[in-house]
Amino acid sequence: EIVLTQSPDTLSLSPGERATLSCRASQSISSSYLAWYQQKPGQTHRLLIYDTSRRATGIPDRFSGSGSGTHFTLTITRLEPEDFAVYYCQQYDNLITFGQGTRLEIK
Amino acid sequence: EAQLVDSGGGLVQPGGSLRLSCAASGFNFDNYAISWVRQAPGRGLEWVAGISDSGHSTYYADSVKGRFTISRDNSNNRLSLQMNSLGVEDTAVYYCAKGTDRYCSGSRCYPFDSWGQGSLVTVSS
């Protein structure tokens, strides 16, 4: 099983700032089969990024993904008020596992 | 637009059984793999089980293998999860989630582009 570890657990930033969320895998994820999701109270989970860097339909370009091997990053430039939420990474190279999540909160 | 509606959650005693359902609409149900993902209170997401578009292939997390059974009815656009021998560790909100592909190719699976709102399962005496 590939274990995903996200950091930090909580990130406190202000609107307009840049957010960088990390996801590290216990073994290499081939072909960049990694996705990112956003979870907000009262809403269903939202796919943001798949295949490491491809934005899902309707996702603004302030969201971007990068990385390879065992280290992946979700970057949100110019945080908007609606971006404060919990973010999860998911690998689908070897069945499916998720990271434990990063809570992005307003500072 | 794809929509998934989870149902069937509730309170069950340890050792008991429960069956979850997920009603799908807004997409060609029999063209996509579907999974169940759960989230225990205060915890992150855990993938539980998945099923291919045809229903011929199923996949399970080790934590539920032998106790849970995933199935689908493509004629009625419904997904089910039969949960037996439930333990307190199975307490969670259970979500059905639509994959972006038809099946896992070997162990290589898919991300999820549509999720249900979740159904709470509480295992307690």
Side-chain angles (χ1 to χ4, degrees), chain A residues 30 33 37 39 44-45 47 50 88 90 92-96 98 100, chain B residues 37 39 43-45 47 95 107-113 115-117:
Chain A
S30 60
Y33 288 129
Y37 298 87
Q39 183 182 24
T44 61
H45 297 77
L47 174 64
Y50 65 98
Y88 293 94
Q90 173 218 351
Y92 44 100
D93 183 39
N94 185 350
L95 292 184
I96 293 165
F98 292 89
Q100 85 281 9
Chain B
V37 178
Q39 185 168 26
R43 305 287 297 274
L45 299 171
W47 174 78
Y95 301 94
S107 63
R108 188 157 296 160
C109 293
Y110 37 77
F112 303 107
D113 58 4
W115 295 64
Q117 84 288 354

PDB file of all heavy atoms in Angstrom, chain A residues 30 33 37 39 44-45 47 50 88 90 92-96 98 100, chain B residues 37 39 43-45 47 95 107-113 115-117:
ATOM      1  N   SER A  30       4.270   6.012 -10.208  1.00  0.00           N
ATOM      2  CA  SER A  30       4.662   6.056 -11.617  1.00  0.00           C
ATOM      3  C   SER A  30       3.629   6.803 -12.443  1.00  0.00           C
ATOM      4  O   SER A  30       2.444   6.838 -12.094  1.00  0.00           O
ATOM      5  CB  SER A  30       4.847   4.643 -12.155  1.00  0.00           C
ATOM      6  OG  SER A  30       3.652   3.916 -12.045  1.00  0.00           O
ATOM      7  N   TYR A  33       0.301   9.449 -11.329  1.00  0.00           N
ATOM      8  CA  TYR A  33      -1.116   9.197 -11.065  1.00  0.00           C
ATOM      9  C   TYR A  33      -1.489   9.715  -9.682  1.00  0.00           C
ATOM     10  O   TYR A  33      -1.696   8.945  -8.737  1.00  0.00           O
ATOM     11  CB  TYR A  33      -1.430   7.708 -11.196  1.00  0.00           C
ATOM     12  CG  TYR A  33      -1.417   7.220 -12.621  1.00  0.00           C
ATOM     13  CD1 TYR A  33      -0.679   6.100 -12.980  1.00  0.00           C
ATOM     14  CD2 TYR A  33      -2.137   7.872 -13.619  1.00  0.00           C
ATOM     15  CE1 TYR A  33      -0.672   5.646 -14.288  1.00  0.00           C
ATOM     16  CE2 TYR A  33      -2.127   7.432 -14.921  1.00  0.00           C
ATOM     17  CZ  TYR A  33      -1.382   6.318 -15.255  1.00  0.00           C
ATOM     18  OH  TYR A  33      -1.369   5.883 -16.544  1.00  0.00           O
ATOM     19  N   TYR A  37      -8.077  17.012  -4.134  1.00  0.00           N
ATOM     20  CA  TYR A  37      -9.500  17.309  -3.921  1.00  0.00           C
ATOM     21  C   TYR A  37      -9.657  18.417  -2.887  1.00  0.00           C
ATOM     22  O   TYR A  37      -8.817  18.583  -1.993  1.00  0.00           O
ATOM     23  CB  TYR A  37     -10.249  16.077  -3.392  1.00  0.00           C
ATOM     24  CG  TYR A  37     -10.229  14.920  -4.329  1.00  0.00           C
ATOM     25  CD1 TYR A  37      -9.184  14.013  -4.311  1.00  0.00           C
ATOM     26  CD2 TYR A  37     -11.253  14.722  -5.250  1.00  0.00           C
ATOM     27  CE1 TYR A  37      -9.146  12.945  -5.184  1.00  0.00           C
ATOM     28  CE2 TYR A  37     -11.230  13.655  -6.124  1.00  0.00           C
ATOM     29  CZ  TYR A  37     -10.172  12.772  -6.084  1.00  0.00           C
ATOM     30  OH  TYR A  37     -10.138  11.714  -6.952  1.00  0.00           O
ATOM     31  N   GLN A  39     -12.447  19.776   0.001  1.00  0.00           N
ATOM     32  CA  GLN A  39     -13.634  19.415   0.776  1.00  0.00           C
ATOM     33  C   GLN A  39     -14.062  20.610   1.611  1.00  0.00           C
ATOM     34  O   GLN A  39     -13.275  21.131   2.404  1.00  0.00           O
ATOM     35  CB  GLN A  39     -13.354  18.216   1.693  1.00  0.00           C
ATOM     36  CG  GLN A  39     -14.578  17.739   2.470  1.00  0.00           C
ATOM     37  CD  GLN A  39     -14.276  16.574   3.401  1.00  0.00           C
ATOM     38  OE1 GLN A  39     -13.138  16.372   3.834  1.00  0.00           O
ATOM     39  NE2 GLN A  39     -15.290  15.791   3.719  1.00  0.00           N
ATOM     40  N   THR A  44     -20.169  18.609  -1.713  1.00  0.00           N
ATOM     41  CA  THR A  44     -19.513  17.358  -2.072  1.00  0.00           C
ATOM     42  C   THR A  44     -18.058  17.634  -2.434  1.00  0.00           C
ATOM     43  O   THR A  44     -17.685  18.764  -2.761  1.00  0.00           O
ATOM     44  CB  THR A  44     -20.232  16.684  -3.249  1.00  0.00           C
ATOM     45  OG1 THR A  44     -20.198  17.543  -4.382  1.00  0.00           O
ATOM     46  CG2 THR A  44     -21.689  16.372  -2.884  1.00  0.00           C
ATOM     47  N   HIS A  45     -17.253  16.592  -2.367  1.00  0.00           N
ATOM     48  CA  HIS A  45     -15.844  16.725  -2.694  1.00  0.00           C
ATOM     49  C   HIS A  45     -15.676  17.188  -4.141  1.00  0.00           C
ATOM     50  O   HIS A  45     -16.438  16.797  -5.028  1.00  0.00           O
ATOM     51  CB  HIS A  45     -15.139  15.384  -2.515  1.00  0.00           C
ATOM     52  CG  HIS A  45     -15.160  14.881  -1.103  1.00  0.00           C
ATOM     53  ND1 HIS A  45     -16.277  14.315  -0.539  1.00  0.00           N
ATOM     54  CD2 HIS A  45     -14.201  14.866  -0.154  1.00  0.00           C
ATOM     55  CE1 HIS A  45     -16.011  13.969   0.706  1.00  0.00           C
ATOM     56  NE2 HIS A  45     -14.759  14.293   0.966  1.00  0.00           N
ATOM     57  N   LEU A  47     -13.024  17.523  -7.353  1.00  0.00           N
ATOM     58  CA  LEU A  47     -11.749  17.172  -7.969  1.00  0.00           C
ATOM     59  C   LEU A  47     -11.110  18.440  -8.525  1.00  0.00           C
ATOM     60  O   LEU A  47     -11.719  19.134  -9.338  1.00  0.00           O
ATOM     61  CB  LEU A  47     -11.972  16.147  -9.085  1.00  0.00           C
ATOM     62  CG  LEU A  47     -10.757  15.767  -9.927  1.00  0.00           C
ATOM     63  CD1 LEU A  47      -9.700  15.062  -9.077  1.00  0.00           C
ATOM     64  CD2 LEU A  47     -11.177  14.890 -11.106  1.00  0.00           C
ATOM     65  N   TYR A  50      -5.790  16.265 -11.519  1.00  0.00           N
ATOM     66  CA  TYR A  50      -5.534  14.848 -11.720  1.00  0.00           C
ATOM     67  C   TYR A  50      -4.282  14.695 -12.579  1.00  0.00           C
ATOM     68  O   TYR A  50      -3.816  15.664 -13.204  1.00  0.00           O
ATOM     69  CB  TYR A  50      -6.743  14.135 -12.354  1.00  0.00           C
ATOM     70  CG  TYR A  50      -7.073  14.598 -13.754  1.00  0.00           C
ATOM     71  CD1 TYR A  50      -6.638  13.874 -14.857  1.00  0.00           C
ATOM     72  CD2 TYR A  50      -7.812  15.758 -13.973  1.00  0.00           C
ATOM     73  CE1 TYR A  50      -6.927  14.297 -16.137  1.00  0.00           C
ATOM     74  CE2 TYR A  50      -8.106  16.182 -15.247  1.00  0.00           C
ATOM     75  CZ  TYR A  50      -7.662  15.460 -16.328  1.00  0.00           C
ATOM     76  OH  TYR A  50      -7.949  15.874 -17.602  1.00  0.00           O
ATOM     77  N   TYR A  88      -7.145  17.190   0.035  1.00  0.00           N
ATOM     78  CA  TYR A  88      -6.633  15.828   0.101  1.00  0.00           C
ATOM     79  C   TYR A  88      -5.902  15.478  -1.191  1.00  0.00           C
ATOM     80  O   TYR A  88      -6.356  15.843  -2.278  1.00  0.00           O
ATOM     81  CB  TYR A  88      -7.772  14.818   0.274  1.00  0.00           C
ATOM     82  CG  TYR A  88      -8.488  14.896   1.590  1.00  0.00           C
ATOM     83  CD1 TYR A  88      -9.652  15.655   1.728  1.00  0.00           C
ATOM     84  CD2 TYR A  88      -8.000  14.222   2.705  1.00  0.00           C
ATOM     85  CE1 TYR A  88     -10.313  15.734   2.936  1.00  0.00           C
ATOM     86  CE2 TYR A  88      -8.662  14.299   3.921  1.00  0.00           C
ATOM     87  CZ  TYR A  88      -9.814  15.063   4.029  1.00  0.00           C
ATOM     88  OH  TYR A  88     -10.471  15.147   5.237  1.00  0.00           O
ATOM     89  N   GLN A  90      -4.586  12.109  -3.494  1.00  0.00           N
ATOM     90  CA  GLN A  90      -4.965  10.714  -3.726  1.00  0.00           C
ATOM     91  C   GLN A  90      -4.033  10.134  -4.775  1.00  0.00           C
ATOM     92  O   GLN A  90      -3.798  10.755  -5.812  1.00  0.00           O
ATOM     93  CB  GLN A  90      -6.402  10.620  -4.247  1.00  0.00           C
ATOM     94  CG  GLN A  90      -6.843   9.209  -4.671  1.00  0.00           C
ATOM     95  CD  GLN A  90      -7.724   9.201  -5.908  1.00  0.00           C
ATOM     96  OE1 GLN A  90      -8.170  10.243  -6.411  1.00  0.00           O
ATOM     97  NE2 GLN A  90      -7.988   8.016  -6.431  1.00  0.00           N
ATOM     98  N   TYR A  92      -3.520   6.916  -7.439  1.00  0.00           N
ATOM     99  CA  TYR A  92      -4.276   5.835  -8.081  1.00  0.00           C
ATOM    100  C   TYR A  92      -3.360   4.996  -8.967  1.00  0.00           C
ATOM    101  O   TYR A  92      -3.809   4.350  -9.920  1.00  0.00           O
ATOM    102  CB  TYR A  92      -5.487   6.372  -8.853  1.00  0.00           C
ATOM    103  CG  TYR A  92      -5.253   7.596  -9.695  1.00  0.00           C
ATOM    104  CD1 TYR A  92      -5.058   7.514 -11.062  1.00  0.00           C
ATOM    105  CD2 TYR A  92      -5.248   8.861  -9.109  1.00  0.00           C
ATOM    106  CE1 TYR A  92      -4.864   8.642 -11.835  1.00  0.00           C
ATOM    107  CE2 TYR A  92      -5.042   9.993  -9.864  1.00  0.00           C
ATOM    108  CZ  TYR A  92      -4.851   9.886 -11.225  1.00  0.00           C
ATOM    109  OH  TYR A  92      -4.653  11.013 -11.987  1.00  0.00           O
ATOM    110  N   ASP A  93      -2.082   4.993  -8.624  1.00  0.00           N
ATOM    111  CA  ASP A  93      -1.113   4.162  -9.332  1.00  0.00           C
ATOM    112  C   ASP A  93      -1.165   2.720  -8.847  1.00  0.00           C
ATOM    113  O   ASP A  93      -0.980   1.786  -9.630  1.00  0.00           O
ATOM    114  CB  ASP A  93       0.287   4.736  -9.137  1.00  0.00           C
ATOM    115  CG  ASP A  93       1.330   3.957  -9.903  1.00  0.00           C
ATOM    116  OD1 ASP A  93       1.048   3.542 -11.048  1.00  0.00           O
ATOM    117  OD2 ASP A  93       2.427   3.744  -9.367  1.00  0.00           O
ATOM    118  N   ASN A  94      -1.395   2.526  -7.566  1.00  0.00           N
ATOM    119  CA  ASN A  94      -1.467   1.201  -6.954  1.00  0.00           C
ATOM    120  C   ASN A  94      -2.735   1.151  -6.114  1.00  0.00           C
ATOM    121  O   ASN A  94      -2.728   1.532  -4.944  1.00  0.00           O
ATOM    122  CB  ASN A  94      -0.226   0.952  -6.106  1.00  0.00           C
ATOM    123  CG  ASN A  94      -0.190  -0.458  -5.555  1.00  0.00           C
ATOM    124  OD1 ASN A  94      -1.169  -1.208  -5.649  1.00  0.00           O
ATOM    125  ND2 ASN A  94       0.922  -0.833  -4.965  1.00  0.00           N
ATOM    126  N   LEU A  95      -3.818   0.682  -6.709  1.00  0.00           N
ATOM    127  CA  LEU A  95      -5.166   0.846  -6.146  1.00  0.00           C
ATOM    128  C   LEU A  95      -5.347   2.321  -5.762  1.00  0.00           C
ATOM    129  O   LEU A  95      -4.973   3.200  -6.529  1.00  0.00           O
ATOM    130  CB  LEU A  95      -5.384  -0.120  -4.986  1.00  0.00           C
ATOM    131  CG  LEU A  95      -5.455  -1.602  -5.389  1.00  0.00           C
ATOM    132  CD1 LEU A  95      -5.769  -2.494  -4.207  1.00  0.00           C
ATOM    133  CD2 LEU A  95      -6.474  -1.828  -6.499  1.00  0.00           C
ATOM    134  N   ILE A  96      -5.931   2.563  -4.599  1.00  0.00           N
ATOM    135  CA  ILE A  96      -6.269   3.951  -4.252  1.00  0.00           C
ATOM    136  C   ILE A  96      -5.993   4.205  -2.777  1.00  0.00           C
ATOM    137  O   ILE A  96      -6.446   3.449  -1.918  1.00  0.00           O
ATOM    138  CB  ILE A  96      -7.768   4.218  -4.545  1.00  0.00           C
ATOM    139  CG1 ILE A  96      -8.032   4.155  -6.056  1.00  0.00           C
ATOM    140  CG2 ILE A  96      -8.203   5.575  -3.979  1.00  0.00           C
ATOM    141  CD1 ILE A  96      -9.502   4.037  -6.420  1.00  0.00           C
ATOM    142  N   PHE A  98      -5.484   7.793   0.023  1.00  0.00           N
ATOM    143  CA  PHE A  98      -5.574   9.226   0.218  1.00  0.00           C
ATOM    144  C   PHE A  98      -4.599   9.671   1.303  1.00  0.00           C
ATOM    145  O   PHE A  98      -4.247   8.896   2.199  1.00  0.00           O
ATOM    146  CB  PHE A  98      -6.984   9.632   0.668  1.00  0.00           C
ATOM    147  CG  PHE A  98      -8.057   9.455  -0.365  1.00  0.00           C
ATOM    148  CD1 PHE A  98      -8.738   8.256  -0.473  1.00  0.00           C
ATOM    149  CD2 PHE A  98      -8.404  10.494  -1.213  1.00  0.00           C
ATOM    150  CE1 PHE A  98      -9.740   8.083  -1.417  1.00  0.00           C
ATOM    151  CE2 PHE A  98      -9.408  10.337  -2.159  1.00  0.00           C
ATOM    152  CZ  PHE A  98     -10.072   9.122  -2.259  1.00  0.00           C
ATOM    153  N   GLN A 100      -3.910  12.333   4.579  1.00  0.00           N
ATOM    154  CA  GLN A 100      -4.739  12.609   5.744  1.00  0.00           C
ATOM    155  C   GLN A 100      -5.383  13.985   5.692  1.00  0.00           C
ATOM    156  O   GLN A 100      -6.250  14.299   6.530  1.00  0.00           O
ATOM    157  CB  GLN A 100      -3.913  12.458   7.049  1.00  0.00           C
ATOM    158  CG  GLN A 100      -3.118  13.687   7.455  1.00  0.00           C
ATOM    159  CD  GLN A 100      -1.820  13.886   6.682  1.00  0.00           C
ATOM    160  OE1 GLN A 100      -1.546  13.210   5.710  1.00  0.00           O
ATOM    161  NE2 GLN A 100      -1.032  14.856   7.153  1.00  0.00           N
TER     162      GLN A 100
ATOM    163  N   VAL B  37     -15.939   5.400  -0.589  1.00  0.00           N
ATOM    164  CA  VAL B  37     -14.869   6.023   0.180  1.00  0.00           C
ATOM    165  C   VAL B  37     -15.479   6.446   1.512  1.00  0.00           C
ATOM    166  O   VAL B  37     -16.607   6.948   1.542  1.00  0.00           O
ATOM    167  CB  VAL B  37     -14.292   7.258  -0.556  1.00  0.00           C
ATOM    168  CG1 VAL B  37     -13.205   7.921   0.276  1.00  0.00           C
ATOM    169  CG2 VAL B  37     -13.748   6.854  -1.930  1.00  0.00           C
ATOM    170  N   GLN B  39     -15.039   8.251   5.610  1.00  0.00           N
ATOM    171  CA  GLN B  39     -14.308   9.215   6.427  1.00  0.00           C
ATOM    172  C   GLN B  39     -14.775   9.073   7.869  1.00  0.00           C
ATOM    173  O   GLN B  39     -15.924   9.414   8.189  1.00  0.00           O
ATOM    174  CB  GLN B  39     -14.547  10.636   5.928  1.00  0.00           C
ATOM    175  CG  GLN B  39     -13.733  11.688   6.629  1.00  0.00           C
ATOM    176  CD  GLN B  39     -13.786  13.022   5.911  1.00  0.00           C
ATOM    177  OE1 GLN B  39     -14.744  13.323   5.200  1.00  0.00           O
ATOM    178  NE2 GLN B  39     -12.761  13.845   6.089  1.00  0.00           N
ATOM    179  N   ARG B  43     -11.160  12.227  10.898  1.00  0.00           N
ATOM    180  CA  ARG B  43     -10.080  11.574  10.146  1.00  0.00           C
ATOM    181  C   ARG B  43     -10.135  11.942   8.669  1.00  0.00           C
ATOM    182  O   ARG B  43     -11.047  12.636   8.216  1.00  0.00           O
ATOM    183  CB  ARG B  43     -10.207  10.045  10.296  1.00  0.00           C
ATOM    184  CG  ARG B  43     -10.234   9.544  11.720  1.00  0.00           C
ATOM    185  CD  ARG B  43      -8.875   9.628  12.382  1.00  0.00           C
ATOM    186  NE  ARG B  43      -7.881   8.801  11.742  1.00  0.00           N
ATOM    187  CZ  ARG B  43      -7.694   7.515  12.013  1.00  0.00           C
ATOM    188  NH1 ARG B  43      -8.460   6.915  12.906  1.00  0.00           N
ATOM    189  NH2 ARG B  43      -6.748   6.837  11.398  1.00  0.00           N
ATOM    190  N   GLY B  44      -9.177  11.448   7.916  1.00  0.00           N
ATOM    191  CA  GLY B  44      -9.134  11.691   6.486  1.00  0.00           C
ATOM    192  C   GLY B  44      -9.939  10.673   5.708  1.00  0.00           C
ATOM    193  O   GLY B  44     -10.673   9.864   6.274  1.00  0.00           O
ATOM    194  N   LEU B  45      -9.803  10.713   4.400  1.00  0.00           N
ATOM    195  CA  LEU B  45     -10.548   9.821   3.517  1.00  0.00           C
ATOM    196  C   LEU B  45      -9.866   8.464   3.411  1.00  0.00           C
ATOM    197  O   LEU B  45      -8.637   8.372   3.370  1.00  0.00           O
ATOM    198  CB  LEU B  45     -10.652  10.447   2.120  1.00  0.00           C
ATOM    199  CG  LEU B  45     -11.377  11.784   2.040  1.00  0.00           C
ATOM    200  CD1 LEU B  45     -11.211  12.388   0.650  1.00  0.00           C
ATOM    201  CD2 LEU B  45     -12.852  11.625   2.367  1.00  0.00           C
ATOM    202  N   TRP B  47     -10.309   4.959   1.011  1.00  0.00           N
ATOM    203  CA  TRP B  47     -10.977   4.198  -0.033  1.00  0.00           C
ATOM    204  C   TRP B  47     -11.357   2.829   0.518  1.00  0.00           C
ATOM    205  O   TRP B  47     -10.556   2.169   1.190  1.00  0.00           O
ATOM    206  CB  TRP B  47     -10.057   4.058  -1.237  1.00  0.00           C
ATOM    207  CG  TRP B  47     -10.586   3.172  -2.312  1.00  0.00           C
ATOM    208  CD1 TRP B  47     -11.538   3.472  -3.238  1.00  0.00           C
ATOM    209  CD2 TRP B  47     -10.189   1.830  -2.585  1.00  0.00           C
ATOM    210  NE1 TRP B  47     -11.754   2.400  -4.061  1.00  0.00           N
ATOM    211  CE2 TRP B  47     -10.939   1.380  -3.690  1.00  0.00           C
ATOM    212  CE3 TRP B  47      -9.269   0.964  -1.998  1.00  0.00           C
ATOM    213  CZ2 TRP B  47     -10.793   0.108  -4.217  1.00  0.00           C
ATOM    214  CZ3 TRP B  47      -9.115  -0.306  -2.521  1.00  0.00           C
ATOM    215  CH2 TRP B  47      -9.879  -0.716  -3.621  1.00  0.00           C
ATOM    216  N   TYR B  95     -19.154   7.621   1.345  1.00  0.00           N
ATOM    217  CA  TYR B  95     -19.451   8.346   0.115  1.00  0.00           C
ATOM    218  C   TYR B  95     -19.334   7.398  -1.078  1.00  0.00           C
ATOM    219  O   TYR B  95     -18.362   6.632  -1.157  1.00  0.00           O
ATOM    220  CB  TYR B  95     -18.453   9.470  -0.115  1.00  0.00           C
ATOM    221  CG  TYR B  95     -18.368  10.518   0.968  1.00  0.00           C
ATOM    222  CD1 TYR B  95     -17.428  10.417   1.987  1.00  0.00           C
ATOM    223  CD2 TYR B  95     -19.212  11.626   0.958  1.00  0.00           C
ATOM    224  CE1 TYR B  95     -17.329  11.386   2.971  1.00  0.00           C
ATOM    225  CE2 TYR B  95     -19.122  12.602   1.933  1.00  0.00           C
ATOM    226  CZ  TYR B  95     -18.179  12.470   2.933  1.00  0.00           C
ATOM    227  OH  TYR B  95     -18.092  13.437   3.914  1.00  0.00           O
ATOM    228  N   SER B 107      -3.475  -2.780 -11.193  1.00  0.00           N
ATOM    229  CA  SER B 107      -3.698  -2.058  -9.941  1.00  0.00           C
ATOM    230  C   SER B 107      -3.843  -0.557 -10.175  1.00  0.00           C
ATOM    231  O   SER B 107      -4.056   0.204  -9.235  1.00  0.00           O
ATOM    232  CB  SER B 107      -2.540  -2.318  -8.977  1.00  0.00           C
ATOM    233  OG  SER B 107      -1.336  -1.825  -9.530  1.00  0.00           O
ATOM    234  N   ARG B 108      -3.735  -0.135 -11.439  1.00  0.00           N
ATOM    235  CA  ARG B 108      -3.815   1.285 -11.748  1.00  0.00           C
ATOM    236  C   ARG B 108      -5.270   1.690 -11.878  1.00  0.00           C
ATOM    237  O   ARG B 108      -5.979   1.162 -12.747  1.00  0.00           O
ATOM    238  CB  ARG B 108      -3.049   1.571 -13.031  1.00  0.00           C
ATOM    239  CG  ARG B 108      -2.916   3.070 -13.323  1.00  0.00           C
ATOM    240  CD  ARG B 108      -1.730   3.288 -14.210  1.00  0.00           C
ATOM    241  NE  ARG B 108      -0.490   2.916 -13.543  1.00  0.00           N
ATOM    242  CZ  ARG B 108       0.637   2.640 -14.182  1.00  0.00           C
ATOM    243  NH1 ARG B 108       0.667   2.657 -15.505  1.00  0.00           N
ATOM    244  NH2 ARG B 108       1.730   2.324 -13.526  1.00  0.00           N
ATOM    245  N   CYS B 109      -5.720   2.605 -11.019  1.00  0.00           N
ATOM    246  CA  CYS B 109      -7.141   2.937 -10.973  1.00  0.00           C
ATOM    247  C   CYS B 109      -7.406   4.344 -11.514  1.00  0.00           C
ATOM    248  O   CYS B 109      -6.901   4.669 -12.590  1.00  0.00           O
ATOM    249  CB  CYS B 109      -7.664   2.743  -9.552  1.00  0.00           C
ATOM    250  SG  CYS B 109      -7.656   0.997  -9.039  1.00  0.00           S
ATOM    251  N   TYR B 110      -8.109   5.196 -10.780  1.00  0.00           N
ATOM    252  CA  TYR B 110      -8.621   6.429 -11.358  1.00  0.00           C
ATOM    253  C   TYR B 110      -8.932   7.441 -10.253  1.00  0.00           C
ATOM    254  O   TYR B 110      -9.152   7.069  -9.097  1.00  0.00           O
ATOM    255  CB  TYR B 110      -9.920   6.117 -12.124  1.00  0.00           C
ATOM    256  CG  TYR B 110     -10.738   5.060 -11.426  1.00  0.00           C
ATOM    257  CD1 TYR B 110     -11.491   5.356 -10.298  1.00  0.00           C
ATOM    258  CD2 TYR B 110     -10.703   3.727 -11.854  1.00  0.00           C
ATOM    259  CE1 TYR B 110     -12.185   4.378  -9.623  1.00  0.00           C
ATOM    260  CE2 TYR B 110     -11.402   2.733 -11.182  1.00  0.00           C
ATOM    261  CZ  TYR B 110     -12.140   3.071 -10.063  1.00  0.00           C
ATOM    262  OH  TYR B 110     -12.832   2.089  -9.382  1.00  0.00           O
ATOM    263  N   PRO B 111      -8.994   8.708 -10.618  1.00  0.00           N
ATOM    264  CA  PRO B 111      -9.512   9.695  -9.672  1.00  0.00           C
ATOM    265  C   PRO B 111     -11.034   9.742  -9.749  1.00  0.00           C
ATOM    266  O   PRO B 111     -11.639   9.034 -10.569  1.00  0.00           O
ATOM    267  CB  PRO B 111      -8.888  11.004 -10.172  1.00  0.00           C
ATOM    268  CG  PRO B 111      -8.711  10.787 -11.635  1.00  0.00           C
ATOM    269  CD  PRO B 111      -8.443   9.319 -11.828  1.00  0.00           C
ATOM    270  N   PHE B 112     -11.640  10.572  -8.904  1.00  0.00           N
ATOM    271  CA  PHE B 112     -13.095  10.636  -8.805  1.00  0.00           C
ATOM    272  C   PHE B 112     -13.571  12.043  -9.149  1.00  0.00           C
ATOM    273  O   PHE B 112     -13.153  13.012  -8.513  1.00  0.00           O
ATOM    274  CB  PHE B 112     -13.538  10.278  -7.387  1.00  0.00           C
ATOM    275  CG  PHE B 112     -13.071   8.924  -6.943  1.00  0.00           C
ATOM    276  CD1 PHE B 112     -12.059   8.789  -6.015  1.00  0.00           C
ATOM    277  CD2 PHE B 112     -13.646   7.781  -7.468  1.00  0.00           C
ATOM    278  CE1 PHE B 112     -11.624   7.538  -5.602  1.00  0.00           C
ATOM    279  CE2 PHE B 112     -13.226   6.519  -7.061  1.00  0.00           C
ATOM    280  CZ  PHE B 112     -12.211   6.400  -6.130  1.00  0.00           C
ATOM    281  N   ASP B 113     -14.471  12.138 -10.127  1.00  0.00           N
ATOM    282  CA  ASP B 113     -14.897  13.464 -10.545  1.00  0.00           C
ATOM    283  C   ASP B 113     -16.302  13.825 -10.079  1.00  0.00           C
ATOM    284  O   ASP B 113     -16.792  14.921 -10.382  1.00  0.00           O
ATOM    285  CB  ASP B 113     -14.787  13.615 -12.068  1.00  0.00           C
ATOM    286  CG  ASP B 113     -15.609  12.594 -12.833  1.00  0.00           C
ATOM    287  OD1 ASP B 113     -16.336  11.790 -12.207  1.00  0.00           O
ATOM    288  OD2 ASP B 113     -15.528  12.605 -14.082  1.00  0.00           O
ATOM    289  N   TRP B 115     -18.977  13.050  -6.466  1.00  0.00           N
ATOM    290  CA  TRP B 115     -19.135  12.382  -5.178  1.00  0.00           C
ATOM    291  C   TRP B 115     -20.574  12.547  -4.679  1.00  0.00           C
ATOM    292  O   TRP B 115     -21.230  13.564  -4.958  1.00  0.00           O
ATOM    293  CB  TRP B 115     -18.206  13.005  -4.136  1.00  0.00           C
ATOM    294  CG  TRP B 115     -16.748  12.829  -4.389  1.00  0.00           C
ATOM    295  CD1 TRP B 115     -16.016  13.317  -5.446  1.00  0.00           C
ATOM    296  CD2 TRP B 115     -15.820  12.140  -3.553  1.00  0.00           C
ATOM    297  NE1 TRP B 115     -14.695  12.967  -5.313  1.00  0.00           N
ATOM    298  CE2 TRP B 115     -14.540  12.250  -4.153  1.00  0.00           C
ATOM    299  CE3 TRP B 115     -15.932  11.454  -2.343  1.00  0.00           C
ATOM    300  CZ2 TRP B 115     -13.391  11.687  -3.590  1.00  0.00           C
ATOM    301  CZ3 TRP B 115     -14.791  10.903  -1.780  1.00  0.00           C
ATOM    302  CH2 TRP B 115     -13.541  11.019  -2.402  1.00  0.00           C
ATOM    303  N   GLY B 116     -21.028  11.574  -3.889  1.00  0.00           N
ATOM    304  CA  GLY B 116     -22.285  11.730  -3.180  1.00  0.00           C
ATOM    305  C   GLY B 116     -22.097  12.613  -1.950  1.00  0.00           C
ATOM    306  O   GLY B 116     -20.975  13.005  -1.617  1.00  0.00           O
ATOM    307  N   GLN B 117     -23.195  12.883  -1.295  1.00  0.00           N
ATOM    308  CA  GLN B 117     -23.147  13.769  -0.124  1.00  0.00           C
ATOM    309  C   GLN B 117     -22.785  13.013   1.148  1.00  0.00           C
ATOM    310  O   GLN B 117     -22.498  13.634   2.171  1.00  0.00           O
ATOM    311  CB  GLN B 117     -24.498  14.484   0.047  1.00  0.00           C
ATOM    312  CG  GLN B 117     -25.561  13.700   0.782  1.00  0.00           C
ATOM    313  CD  GLN B 117     -26.145  12.545  -0.028  1.00  0.00           C
ATOM    314  OE1 GLN B 117     -25.839  12.357  -1.216  1.00  0.00           O
ATOM    315  NE2 GLN B 117     -27.004  11.762   0.613  1.00  0.00           N
TER     316      GLN B 117
END
